[in-house]
Amino acid sequence: MSINTATGRGVWLAIVLLASACLAIGAGFVLSVVGAEAKLVLGGAGATFIGTAPVGLAACRFVAESPQGGRSGE
């Protein structure tokens, strides 16, 4: 699937945000198992989401804007 089409961008956006949400849920679960307070669990999960979503979106943008064709010098 091409990332440069409107449909491709939407699908990759959904994948990145879903992966970020899963990581945030995992971080919240780990914090709750460790015995952190509820506000720390929510804050840690939120910080994980805020930290991972932009990194994933930047990675998708980096891949989408890479030169196509594989030929250098053009």
Side-chain angles (χ1 to χ4, degrees), residues 15-42:
I15 290 170
V16 168
L17 292 180
L18 184 62
S20 296
C22 289
L23 287 172
I25 291 168
F29 176 74
V30 168
L31 287 171
S32 67
V33 167
V34 170
E37 295 180 26
K39 61 183 176 183
L40 293 177
V41 171
L42 292 174

Side-chain angles (χ1 to χ4, degrees), residues 3-72:
I3 196 171
N4 293 324
T5 63
T7 305
R9 285 191 303 265
V11 168
W12 282 106
L13 175 66
I15 290 170
V16 168
L17 292 180
L18 184 62
S20 296
C22 289
L23 287 172
I25 291 168
F29 176 74
V30 168
L31 287 171
S32 67
V33 167
V34 170
E37 295 180 26
K39 61 183 176 183
L40 293 177
V41 171
L42 292 174
T48 302
F49 180 79
I50 296 295
T52 56
V55 171
L57 294 174
C60 281
R61 187 171 188 175
F62 177 76
V63 170
E65 291 180 357
S66 65
Q68 300 295 322
R71 290 187 247 168
S72 61

